Short mmCIF file of all heavy atoms in Angstrom, two decimals:
data_model
loop_
_atom_site.label_atom_id
_atom_site.label_comp_id
_atom_site.label_asym_id
_atom_site.label_seq_id
_atom_site.Cartn_x
_atom_site.Cartn_y
_atom_site.Cartn_z
N MET A 150 0.87 -1.16 -0.05
CA MET A 150 0.03 0.04 0.02
C MET A 150 0.92 1.23 -0.03
O MET A 150 1.75 1.42 0.87
CB MET A 150 -0.89 0.00 1.21
CG MET A 150 -1.68 1.31 1.42
SD MET A 150 -2.59 1.32 2.96
CE MET A 150 -4.04 0.63 2.47
N ALA A 151 0.72 2.07 -0.92
CA ALA A 151 1.51 3.32 -1.08
C ALA A 151 0.81 4.49 -0.20
O ALA A 151 -0.39 4.61 -0.38
CB ALA A 151 1.74 3.72 -2.48
N LEU A 152 1.63 5.14 0.53
CA LEU A 152 1.06 6.28 1.30
C LEU A 152 1.27 7.48 0.41
O LEU A 152 2.36 7.82 -0.05
CB LEU A 152 1.83 6.40 2.61
CG LEU A 152 1.64 5.28 3.51
CD1 LEU A 152 2.58 5.52 4.78
CD2 LEU A 152 0.28 5.18 4.09
N ARG A 153 0.15 8.16 0.28
CA ARG A 153 0.18 9.46 -0.51
C ARG A 153 0.62 10.65 0.45
O ARG A 153 0.23 10.71 1.56
CB ARG A 153 -1.09 9.81 -1.17
CG ARG A 153 -1.49 8.84 -2.18
CD ARG A 153 -2.72 9.24 -2.89
NE ARG A 153 -3.43 8.05 -3.24
CZ ARG A 153 -4.76 7.96 -3.35
NH1 ARG A 153 -5.43 9.05 -3.29
NH2 ARG A 153 -5.34 6.88 -3.62
N GLY A 154 1.41 11.48 -0.10
CA GLY A 154 1.71 12.70 0.66
C GLY A 154 2.72 12.53 1.83
O GLY A 154 2.84 13.44 2.62
N VAL A 155 3.37 11.39 1.85
CA VAL A 155 4.36 11.22 2.88
C VAL A 155 5.75 11.66 2.30
O VAL A 155 6.23 11.15 1.36
CB VAL A 155 4.39 9.68 3.25
CG1 VAL A 155 5.47 9.41 4.22
CG2 VAL A 155 3.09 9.15 3.82
N SER A 156 6.33 12.55 3.07
CA SER A 156 7.65 13.03 2.70
C SER A 156 8.63 12.70 3.84
O SER A 156 8.35 13.08 5.05
CB SER A 156 7.58 14.49 2.43
OG SER A 156 8.81 15.04 2.29
N LEU A 157 9.66 12.08 3.44
CA LEU A 157 10.68 11.70 4.49
C LEU A 157 11.80 12.78 4.56
O LEU A 157 12.71 12.69 5.33
CB LEU A 157 11.26 10.29 4.26
CG LEU A 157 10.21 9.24 4.38
CD1 LEU A 157 10.92 7.90 4.05
CD2 LEU A 157 9.66 9.15 5.70
N LYS A 158 11.71 13.79 3.64
CA LYS A 158 12.71 14.80 3.67
C LYS A 158 12.42 15.85 4.73
O LYS A 158 11.25 16.19 4.95
CB LYS A 158 12.80 15.46 2.26
CG LYS A 158 13.27 14.46 1.15
CD LYS A 158 13.34 15.13 -0.13
CE LYS A 158 13.81 14.20 -1.24
NZ LYS A 158 13.87 14.85 -2.49
N ALA A 159 13.53 16.38 5.27
CA ALA A 159 13.32 17.44 6.26
C ALA A 159 12.88 18.77 5.56
O ALA A 159 13.34 19.01 4.48
CB ALA A 159 14.59 17.64 6.95
N LYS A 160 12.02 19.48 6.23
CA LYS A 160 11.54 20.71 5.61
C LYS A 160 12.40 21.90 6.19
O LYS A 160 12.99 21.84 7.33
CB LYS A 160 10.08 21.03 5.98
CG LYS A 160 9.20 20.03 5.36
CD LYS A 160 7.76 20.26 5.70
CE LYS A 160 6.81 19.18 5.05
NZ LYS A 160 5.41 19.42 5.37
N GLY A 161 12.62 22.85 5.43
CA GLY A 161 13.38 24.08 5.85
C GLY A 161 14.87 23.81 5.58
O GLY A 161 15.27 23.01 4.71
N LYS A 162 15.66 24.53 6.34
CA LYS A 162 17.11 24.38 6.19
C LYS A 162 17.65 23.11 6.68
O LYS A 162 17.22 22.71 7.79
CB LYS A 162 17.78 25.58 6.87
CG LYS A 162 17.56 26.93 6.24
CD LYS A 162 18.30 28.10 6.98
CE LYS A 162 18.05 29.39 6.38
NZ LYS A 162 18.80 30.41 7.06
N SER A 163 18.51 22.45 5.99
CA SER A 163 19.06 21.17 6.41
C SER A 163 20.39 21.41 7.17
O SER A 163 21.17 22.26 6.80
CB SER A 163 19.26 20.24 5.23
OG SER A 163 20.19 20.79 4.32
N SER A 164 20.56 20.65 8.19
CA SER A 164 21.75 20.71 8.94
C SER A 164 22.25 19.25 9.22
O SER A 164 21.54 18.29 8.84
CB SER A 164 21.57 21.42 10.25
OG SER A 164 20.65 20.77 11.05
N LYS A 165 23.34 19.16 9.87
CA LYS A 165 23.87 17.76 10.06
C LYS A 165 22.93 16.96 10.96
O LYS A 165 22.88 15.69 10.80
CB LYS A 165 25.33 17.88 10.60
CG LYS A 165 26.23 18.38 9.60
CD LYS A 165 27.70 18.30 10.16
CE LYS A 165 28.67 18.78 9.13
NZ LYS A 165 30.11 18.73 9.62
N GLY A 166 22.26 17.57 11.90
CA GLY A 166 21.51 16.85 12.84
C GLY A 166 20.00 16.87 12.46
O GLY A 166 19.14 17.04 13.23
N SER A 167 19.72 16.60 11.18
CA SER A 167 18.24 16.75 10.68
C SER A 167 17.52 15.35 10.90
O SER A 167 16.43 15.32 10.36
CB SER A 167 18.29 17.18 9.28
OG SER A 167 18.78 16.19 8.41
N ASN A 168 18.08 14.41 11.50
CA ASN A 168 17.34 13.17 11.63
C ASN A 168 16.11 13.32 12.49
O ASN A 168 15.13 12.64 12.31
CB ASN A 168 18.25 12.07 12.28
CG ASN A 168 19.01 11.34 11.21
OD1 ASN A 168 18.67 11.38 10.04
ND2 ASN A 168 20.02 10.54 11.66
N GLY A 169 16.13 14.24 13.45
CA GLY A 169 15.04 14.47 14.30
C GLY A 169 13.82 14.97 13.53
O GLY A 169 12.69 14.50 13.88
N SER A 170 14.07 15.89 12.54
CA SER A 170 12.89 16.36 11.79
C SER A 170 12.31 15.24 10.82
O SER A 170 11.09 15.23 10.57
CB SER A 170 13.31 17.58 10.95
OG SER A 170 14.27 17.27 10.11
N GLU A 171 13.17 14.40 10.45
CA GLU A 171 12.73 13.32 9.54
C GLU A 171 11.79 12.33 10.37
O GLU A 171 10.79 11.94 9.95
CB GLU A 171 13.90 12.51 8.93
CG GLU A 171 14.54 13.26 7.79
CD GLU A 171 15.65 12.40 7.22
OE1 GLU A 171 15.83 11.21 7.50
OE2 GLU A 171 16.44 12.97 6.48
N ASP A 172 12.23 12.05 11.58
CA ASP A 172 11.45 11.21 12.41
C ASP A 172 10.14 11.91 12.82
O ASP A 172 9.15 11.23 12.95
CB ASP A 172 12.26 10.88 13.73
CG ASP A 172 13.43 10.01 13.49
OD1 ASP A 172 13.46 9.34 12.38
OD2 ASP A 172 14.32 9.93 14.35
N ARG A 173 10.17 13.17 12.93
CA ARG A 173 8.98 13.90 13.36
C ARG A 173 7.98 13.88 12.18
O ARG A 173 6.77 13.61 12.38
CB ARG A 173 9.30 15.35 13.68
CG ARG A 173 8.25 16.14 14.28
CD ARG A 173 8.59 17.53 14.76
NE ARG A 173 10.00 17.60 14.98
CZ ARG A 173 10.66 18.67 14.61
NH1 ARG A 173 10.08 19.71 14.02
NH2 ARG A 173 12.01 18.79 14.82
N SER A 174 8.51 14.09 11.01
CA SER A 174 7.58 14.01 9.76
C SER A 174 6.96 12.56 9.57
O SER A 174 5.76 12.49 9.24
CB SER A 174 8.21 14.55 8.52
OG SER A 174 9.19 13.67 8.09
N LEU A 175 7.77 11.60 9.84
CA LEU A 175 7.25 10.25 9.77
C LEU A 175 6.23 9.94 10.76
O LEU A 175 5.21 9.39 10.53
CB LEU A 175 8.46 9.25 9.84
CG LEU A 175 8.06 7.76 9.75
CD1 LEU A 175 7.42 7.54 8.36
CD2 LEU A 175 9.27 6.96 9.88
N SER A 176 6.55 10.44 12.07
CA SER A 176 5.47 10.16 13.12
C SER A 176 4.26 10.98 12.88
O SER A 176 3.14 10.49 13.23
CB SER A 176 6.17 10.55 14.48
OG SER A 176 6.38 11.99 14.53
N GLU A 177 4.35 12.19 12.33
CA GLU A 177 3.18 12.96 12.01
C GLU A 177 2.33 12.23 10.94
O GLU A 177 1.10 12.17 10.94
CB GLU A 177 3.53 14.34 11.54
CG GLU A 177 4.03 15.22 12.69
CD GLU A 177 4.53 16.52 12.14
OE1 GLU A 177 4.42 16.87 10.88
OE2 GLU A 177 5.00 17.35 12.92
N SER A 178 3.00 11.65 9.95
CA SER A 178 2.31 10.82 8.86
C SER A 178 1.54 9.71 9.54
O SER A 178 0.49 9.33 9.09
CB SER A 178 3.35 10.40 7.83
OG SER A 178 3.97 11.50 7.27
N VAL A 179 2.34 8.98 10.41
CA VAL A 179 1.67 7.76 11.03
C VAL A 179 0.45 8.22 11.81
O VAL A 179 -0.57 7.61 11.84
CB VAL A 179 2.71 7.04 11.84
CG1 VAL A 179 2.06 5.98 12.68
CG2 VAL A 179 3.72 6.42 10.98
N LYS A 180 0.64 9.29 12.57
CA LYS A 180 -0.44 9.84 13.37
C LYS A 180 -1.74 10.18 12.51
O LYS A 180 -2.82 9.91 12.87
CB LYS A 180 0.02 11.05 14.20
CG LYS A 180 -1.03 11.56 15.12
CD LYS A 180 -0.45 12.71 15.97
CE LYS A 180 -1.54 13.19 16.92
NZ LYS A 180 -1.02 14.33 17.74
N GLU A 181 -1.48 10.88 11.37
CA GLU A 181 -2.50 11.30 10.51
C GLU A 181 -3.19 9.97 9.92
O GLU A 181 -4.39 9.96 9.88
CB GLU A 181 -2.03 12.17 9.37
CG GLU A 181 -1.62 13.49 9.84
CD GLU A 181 -1.01 14.37 8.62
OE1 GLU A 181 -1.06 13.88 7.52
OE2 GLU A 181 -0.47 15.41 8.99
N TRP A 182 -2.45 9.02 9.56
CA TRP A 182 -3.02 7.87 8.93
C TRP A 182 -3.77 7.09 9.95
O TRP A 182 -4.87 6.60 9.58
CB TRP A 182 -1.90 6.90 8.42
CG TRP A 182 -2.36 5.75 7.78
CD1 TRP A 182 -2.73 5.58 6.45
CD2 TRP A 182 -2.55 4.43 8.36
NE1 TRP A 182 -3.25 4.32 6.23
CE2 TRP A 182 -3.09 3.55 7.39
CE3 TRP A 182 -2.37 3.98 9.63
CZ2 TRP A 182 -3.38 2.23 7.67
CZ3 TRP A 182 -2.67 2.61 9.90
CH2 TRP A 182 -3.21 1.80 8.90
N SER A 183 -3.32 6.98 11.20
CA SER A 183 -4.07 6.20 12.17
C SER A 183 -5.29 6.93 12.56
O SER A 183 -6.37 6.22 12.83
CB SER A 183 -3.23 6.00 13.39
OG SER A 183 -2.87 7.21 14.04
N THR A 184 -5.36 8.26 12.60
CA THR A 184 -6.53 9.04 12.89
C THR A 184 -7.58 8.77 11.71
O THR A 184 -8.69 8.55 12.04
CB THR A 184 -6.25 10.46 12.97
OG1 THR A 184 -5.25 10.74 14.01
CG2 THR A 184 -7.49 11.26 13.29
N TRP A 185 -7.12 8.80 10.50
CA TRP A 185 -8.02 8.56 9.42
C TRP A 185 -8.65 7.14 9.46
O TRP A 185 -9.81 6.95 9.26
CB TRP A 185 -7.17 8.76 8.06
CG TRP A 185 -7.97 8.45 6.79
CD1 TRP A 185 -8.86 9.22 6.14
CD2 TRP A 185 -8.01 7.20 6.11
NE1 TRP A 185 -9.36 8.60 5.07
CE2 TRP A 185 -8.86 7.36 5.01
CE3 TRP A 185 -7.37 5.91 6.39
CZ2 TRP A 185 -9.13 6.30 4.17
CZ3 TRP A 185 -7.62 4.95 5.51
CH2 TRP A 185 -8.50 5.05 4.38
N ALA A 186 -7.68 6.16 9.75
CA ALA A 186 -8.17 4.69 9.77
C ALA A 186 -9.21 4.62 10.95
O ALA A 186 -10.17 3.88 10.71
CB ALA A 186 -6.97 3.82 10.01
N MET A 187 -8.98 5.14 12.10
CA MET A 187 -9.91 5.00 13.16
C MET A 187 -11.25 5.72 12.87
O MET A 187 -12.28 5.14 13.23
CB MET A 187 -9.34 5.64 14.52
CG MET A 187 -8.17 4.73 15.06
SD MET A 187 -8.60 3.09 15.32
CE MET A 187 -9.64 3.29 16.68
N ARG A 188 -11.25 6.83 12.18
CA ARG A 188 -12.51 7.43 11.77
C ARG A 188 -13.34 6.59 10.84
O ARG A 188 -14.50 6.35 10.98
CB ARG A 188 -12.30 8.86 11.14
CG ARG A 188 -11.88 9.84 12.20
CD ARG A 188 -11.72 11.18 11.45
NE ARG A 188 -11.29 12.19 12.40
CZ ARG A 188 -10.85 13.38 12.07
NH1 ARG A 188 -10.73 13.74 10.84
NH2 ARG A 188 -10.55 14.24 13.02
N LYS A 189 -12.64 5.98 9.92
CA LYS A 189 -13.26 5.09 8.95
C LYS A 189 -13.76 3.83 9.68
O LYS A 189 -14.90 3.39 9.37
CB LYS A 189 -12.36 4.71 7.83
CG LYS A 189 -11.96 5.81 6.96
CD LYS A 189 -13.10 6.53 6.28
CE LYS A 189 -12.57 7.70 5.45
NZ LYS A 189 -13.60 8.46 4.81
N ALA A 190 -13.03 3.27 10.58
CA ALA A 190 -13.43 2.06 11.27
C ALA A 190 -14.57 2.32 12.19
O ALA A 190 -15.45 1.51 12.26
CB ALA A 190 -12.27 1.60 12.12
N LYS A 191 -14.72 3.48 12.74
CA LYS A 191 -15.85 3.90 13.59
C LYS A 191 -17.08 3.90 12.74
O LYS A 191 -18.21 3.37 13.09
CB LYS A 191 -15.64 5.23 14.25
CG LYS A 191 -16.66 5.71 15.11
CD LYS A 191 -16.34 7.10 15.71
CE LYS A 191 -17.48 7.62 16.56
NZ LYS A 191 -17.16 8.96 16.97
N ILE A 192 -17.05 4.51 11.50
CA ILE A 192 -18.28 4.60 10.66
C ILE A 192 -18.62 3.18 10.21
O ILE A 192 -19.86 2.84 10.23
CB ILE A 192 -17.96 5.50 9.45
CG1 ILE A 192 -17.75 6.96 9.95
CG2 ILE A 192 -19.02 5.45 8.38
CD1 ILE A 192 -17.24 7.97 8.91
N ILE A 193 -17.70 2.37 9.83
CA ILE A 193 -18.01 1.06 9.27
C ILE A 193 -18.62 0.20 10.47
O ILE A 193 -19.60 -0.48 10.20
CB ILE A 193 -16.69 0.40 8.78
CG1 ILE A 193 -16.29 1.07 7.47
CG2 ILE A 193 -16.87 -1.08 8.56
CD1 ILE A 193 -14.95 0.71 6.90
N THR A 194 -18.01 0.26 11.62
CA THR A 194 -18.58 -0.50 12.71
C THR A 194 -19.92 -0.03 13.06
O THR A 194 -20.81 -0.90 13.30
CB THR A 194 -17.68 -0.26 13.93
OG1 THR A 194 -16.32 -0.71 13.66
CG2 THR A 194 -18.10 -1.15 15.17
N HIS A 195 -20.26 1.24 13.08
CA HIS A 195 -21.59 1.81 13.39
C HIS A 195 -22.67 1.25 12.53
O HIS A 195 -23.61 0.60 12.89
CB HIS A 195 -21.56 3.26 13.37
CG HIS A 195 -22.89 3.89 13.61
ND1 HIS A 195 -23.41 4.02 14.80
CD2 HIS A 195 -23.78 4.44 12.68
CE1 HIS A 195 -24.64 4.58 14.69
NE2 HIS A 195 -24.84 4.87 13.48
N TYR A 196 -22.39 1.44 11.15
CA TYR A 196 -23.46 1.00 10.20
C TYR A 196 -23.45 -0.63 10.01
O TYR A 196 -24.50 -1.12 9.81
CB TYR A 196 -23.26 1.66 8.91
CG TYR A 196 -23.54 3.13 8.92
CD1 TYR A 196 -22.58 4.08 8.89
CD2 TYR A 196 -24.94 3.48 9.08
CE1 TYR A 196 -22.93 5.41 8.96
CE2 TYR A 196 -25.25 4.82 9.22
CZ TYR A 196 -24.25 5.80 9.13
OH TYR A 196 -24.63 7.12 9.19
N GLY A 197 -22.38 -1.12 10.22
CA GLY A 197 -22.31 -2.69 10.16
C GLY A 197 -23.04 -3.29 11.44
O GLY A 197 -23.75 -4.34 11.25
N PHE A 198 -22.92 -2.63 12.51
CA PHE A 198 -23.65 -3.20 13.66
C PHE A 198 -25.21 -3.10 13.53
O PHE A 198 -25.85 -3.98 13.84
CB PHE A 198 -23.19 -2.46 14.96
CG PHE A 198 -23.82 -2.97 16.14
CD1 PHE A 198 -23.45 -4.16 16.75
CD2 PHE A 198 -24.86 -2.20 16.86
CE1 PHE A 198 -24.03 -4.67 17.92
CE2 PHE A 198 -25.41 -2.77 18.01
CZ PHE A 198 -25.06 -3.91 18.55
N ILE A 199 -25.60 -1.98 13.07
CA ILE A 199 -27.07 -1.76 12.81
C ILE A 199 -27.62 -2.82 11.81
O ILE A 199 -28.60 -3.46 12.09
CB ILE A 199 -27.37 -0.33 12.37
CG1 ILE A 199 -27.05 0.68 13.49
CG2 ILE A 199 -28.78 -0.22 11.81
CD1 ILE A 199 -27.14 2.11 13.04
N THR A 200 -26.90 -2.96 10.73
CA THR A 200 -27.28 -3.99 9.82
C THR A 200 -27.31 -5.38 10.34
O THR A 200 -28.22 -6.17 10.14
CB THR A 200 -26.28 -3.91 8.57
OG1 THR A 200 -26.29 -2.58 8.10
CG2 THR A 200 -26.75 -4.80 7.51
N LEU A 201 -26.27 -5.78 11.16
CA LEU A 201 -26.19 -7.02 11.70
C LEU A 201 -27.35 -7.33 12.65
O LEU A 201 -27.90 -8.44 12.68
CB LEU A 201 -24.88 -7.15 12.51
CG LEU A 201 -24.66 -8.50 13.25
CD1 LEU A 201 -24.42 -9.60 12.23
CD2 LEU A 201 -23.38 -8.37 14.08
N VAL A 202 -27.68 -6.35 13.54
CA VAL A 202 -28.89 -6.50 14.44
C VAL A 202 -30.14 -6.71 13.59
O VAL A 202 -30.94 -7.66 13.94
CB VAL A 202 -28.93 -5.24 15.32
CG1 VAL A 202 -30.29 -5.33 16.10
CG2 VAL A 202 -27.80 -5.16 16.32
N ILE A 203 -30.44 -6.02 12.52
CA ILE A 203 -31.63 -6.17 11.73
C ILE A 203 -31.58 -7.59 11.12
O ILE A 203 -32.57 -8.25 11.08
CB ILE A 203 -31.77 -5.07 10.66
CG1 ILE A 203 -32.01 -3.77 11.36
CG2 ILE A 203 -32.85 -5.44 9.59
CD1 ILE A 203 -32.02 -2.58 10.42
N ILE A 204 -30.44 -8.03 10.63
CA ILE A 204 -30.44 -9.39 9.99
C ILE A 204 -30.62 -10.46 10.96
O ILE A 204 -31.32 -11.43 10.72
CB ILE A 204 -29.07 -9.52 9.24
CG1 ILE A 204 -29.01 -8.68 8.02
CG2 ILE A 204 -28.85 -11.04 8.79
CD1 ILE A 204 -27.62 -8.61 7.33
N ILE A 205 -30.06 -10.35 12.16
CA ILE A 205 -30.27 -11.40 13.14
C ILE A 205 -31.70 -11.39 13.69
O ILE A 205 -32.22 -12.53 13.85
CB ILE A 205 -29.24 -11.11 14.35
CG1 ILE A 205 -27.82 -11.41 13.92
CG2 ILE A 205 -29.73 -11.98 15.53
CD1 ILE A 205 -26.80 -11.11 15.01
N ASP A 206 -32.30 -10.23 13.85
CA ASP A 206 -33.69 -10.15 14.26
C ASP A 206 -34.59 -10.73 13.23
O ASP A 206 -35.66 -11.43 13.63
CB ASP A 206 -34.13 -8.74 14.58
CG ASP A 206 -33.60 -8.29 15.90
OD1 ASP A 206 -33.10 -9.19 16.69
OD2 ASP A 206 -33.55 -7.06 16.21
N MET A 207 -34.34 -10.56 11.90
CA MET A 207 -35.24 -11.08 10.87
C MET A 207 -35.11 -12.64 10.76
O MET A 207 -36.04 -13.26 10.26
CB MET A 207 -34.90 -10.42 9.56
CG MET A 207 -35.37 -8.96 9.47
SD MET A 207 -35.08 -8.30 7.84
CE MET A 207 -36.49 -9.01 7.01
N ASN A 208 -34.07 -13.16 11.30
CA ASN A 208 -33.81 -14.67 11.18
C ASN A 208 -34.21 -15.35 12.53
O ASN A 208 -34.03 -16.51 12.63
CB ASN A 208 -32.35 -14.96 10.80
CG ASN A 208 -32.07 -14.63 9.43
OD1 ASN A 208 -32.93 -14.59 8.52
ND2 ASN A 208 -30.87 -14.24 9.19
N SER A 209 -34.76 -14.60 13.42
CA SER A 209 -35.16 -15.25 14.65
C SER A 209 -36.65 -15.72 14.67
O SER A 209 -37.39 -15.39 13.83
CB SER A 209 -34.87 -14.24 15.80
OG SER A 209 -35.80 -13.16 15.64
N GLU A 210 -36.97 -16.47 15.64
CA GLU A 210 -38.39 -16.98 15.80
C GLU A 210 -38.95 -16.23 16.90
O GLU A 210 -38.36 -16.07 18.00
CB GLU A 210 -38.36 -18.50 16.10
CG GLU A 210 -37.89 -19.36 14.96
CD GLU A 210 -38.91 -19.35 13.81
OE1 GLU A 210 -40.07 -19.17 14.05
OE2 GLU A 210 -38.46 -19.50 12.63
N PRO A 211 -40.21 -15.85 16.82
CA PRO A 211 -41.10 -15.69 15.70
C PRO A 211 -40.60 -14.62 14.77
O PRO A 211 -39.99 -13.64 15.22
CB PRO A 211 -42.48 -15.27 16.31
CG PRO A 211 -42.08 -14.58 17.55
CD PRO A 211 -40.84 -15.23 18.10
N LYS A 212 -40.85 -14.78 13.57
CA LYS A 212 -40.23 -13.91 12.51
C LYS A 212 -41.00 -12.64 12.56
O LYS A 212 -42.20 -12.49 12.21
CB LYS A 212 -40.36 -14.47 11.10
CG LYS A 212 -39.41 -15.68 10.91
CD LYS A 212 -39.20 -15.99 9.51
CE LYS A 212 -38.29 -17.13 9.26
NZ LYS A 212 -36.91 -16.77 9.39
N PRO A 213 -40.42 -11.48 12.91
CA PRO A 213 -41.06 -10.17 12.93
C PRO A 213 -41.17 -9.60 11.50
O PRO A 213 -40.35 -9.98 10.65
CB PRO A 213 -40.23 -9.33 13.84
CG PRO A 213 -38.82 -9.91 13.65
CD PRO A 213 -39.04 -11.45 13.48
N GLN A 214 -42.06 -8.66 11.37
CA GLN A 214 -42.16 -7.94 10.15
C GLN A 214 -41.15 -6.83 10.18
O GLN A 214 -40.71 -6.41 11.19
CB GLN A 214 -43.56 -7.34 9.95
CG GLN A 214 -44.64 -8.41 9.82
CD GLN A 214 -46.02 -7.81 9.76
OE1 GLN A 214 -46.11 -6.54 9.79
NE2 GLN A 214 -46.98 -8.59 9.57
N LEU A 215 -40.76 -6.35 8.98
CA LEU A 215 -39.72 -5.38 8.82
C LEU A 215 -40.19 -4.03 9.57
O LEU A 215 -39.39 -3.39 10.24
CB LEU A 215 -39.45 -4.98 7.34
CG LEU A 215 -38.31 -4.04 7.16
CD1 LEU A 215 -37.01 -4.60 7.78
CD2 LEU A 215 -38.12 -3.69 5.68
N SER A 216 -41.48 -3.71 9.54
CA SER A 216 -41.95 -2.50 10.23
C SER A 216 -41.80 -2.69 11.68
O SER A 216 -41.63 -1.70 12.38
CB SER A 216 -43.48 -2.31 9.86
OG SER A 216 -44.24 -3.34 10.16
N GLN A 217 -41.97 -3.89 12.29
CA GLN A 217 -41.84 -4.07 13.65
C GLN A 217 -40.31 -3.93 14.11
O GLN A 217 -40.02 -3.48 15.23
CB GLN A 217 -42.26 -5.46 14.15
CG GLN A 217 -43.75 -5.66 13.95
CD GLN A 217 -44.17 -7.15 14.22
OE1 GLN A 217 -43.42 -7.98 14.01
NE2 GLN A 217 -45.33 -7.27 14.76
N LEU A 218 -39.39 -4.27 13.15
CA LEU A 218 -37.97 -4.11 13.54
C LEU A 218 -37.55 -2.68 13.49
O LEU A 218 -36.70 -2.23 14.27
CB LEU A 218 -37.14 -4.89 12.56
CG LEU A 218 -37.17 -6.36 12.63
CD1 LEU A 218 -36.36 -7.02 11.42
CD2 LEU A 218 -36.59 -6.81 13.86
N LEU A 219 -38.08 -1.84 12.60
CA LEU A 219 -37.71 -0.44 12.45
C LEU A 219 -38.42 0.54 13.34
O LEU A 219 -37.95 1.62 13.55
CB LEU A 219 -37.86 -0.10 10.97
CG LEU A 219 -36.99 -0.91 9.96
CD1 LEU A 219 -37.32 -0.40 8.53
CD2 LEU A 219 -35.49 -0.81 10.36
N SER A 220 -39.58 0.12 13.88
CA SER A 220 -40.32 0.97 14.79
C SER A 220 -39.71 0.92 16.19
O SER A 220 -39.26 -0.07 16.67
CB SER A 220 -41.80 0.64 14.86
OG SER A 220 -41.96 -0.61 15.50
N PRO A 221 -39.67 2.07 16.94
CA PRO A 221 -39.07 2.10 18.19
C PRO A 221 -39.91 1.40 19.28
O PRO A 221 -39.33 0.99 20.37
CB PRO A 221 -38.94 3.60 18.53
CG PRO A 221 -39.85 4.22 17.72
CD PRO A 221 -40.07 3.38 16.47
N ILE A 222 -41.13 1.20 19.08
CA ILE A 222 -41.95 0.57 20.15
C ILE A 222 -42.50 -0.77 19.68
O ILE A 222 -42.73 -1.06 18.58
CB ILE A 222 -43.24 1.40 20.44
CG1 ILE A 222 -42.69 2.76 21.02
CG2 ILE A 222 -44.19 0.82 21.47
CD1 ILE A 222 -43.72 3.79 21.34
#
């Protein structure tokens, strides 16, 4: 999987001790990627759980009607 927008080069003026800025940009990239992945996982889990509950309820005995599954009461 290729990461887009990931730059391992130090920004600004380069000096002999620029390894710290390379590590920082890599850590920022990992942090941004993990935040993006967690947001997507949260959305997928939310809608997947709702769908799973409806499917399980429709396959249970006695078989409810769809309107009974979707109504709050």
Side-chain angles (χ1 to χ4, degrees):
M150 171 186 272
L152 297 174
R153 291 187 218 154
V155 175
S156 174
L157 297 178
K158 295 182 181 179
K160 295 181 180 177
K162 293 182 179 180
S163 62
S164 62
K165 289 184 180 181
S167 66
N168 272 346
S170 61
E171 287 181 12
D172 292 340
R173 192 173 340 137
S174 65
L175 181 61
S176 66
E177 288 174 3
S178 301
V179 170
K180 185 177 180 180
E181 289 175 10
W182 183 85
S183 63
T184 303
W185 175 85
M187 289 304 290
R188 285 182 182 168
K189 298 298 180 185
K191 182 180 176 183
I192 294 169
I193 290 168
T194 303
H195 176 77
Y196 289 109
F198 181 75
I199 292 172
T200 306
L201 180 67
V202 168
I203 291 174
I204 289 172
I205 289 173
D206 285 344
M207 289 185 77
N208 291 328
S209 65
E210 290 292 331
K212 292 196 180 281
Q214 296 176 359
L215 186 59
S216 61
Q217 291 174 331
L218 289 175
L219 298 177
S220 69
I222 297 177

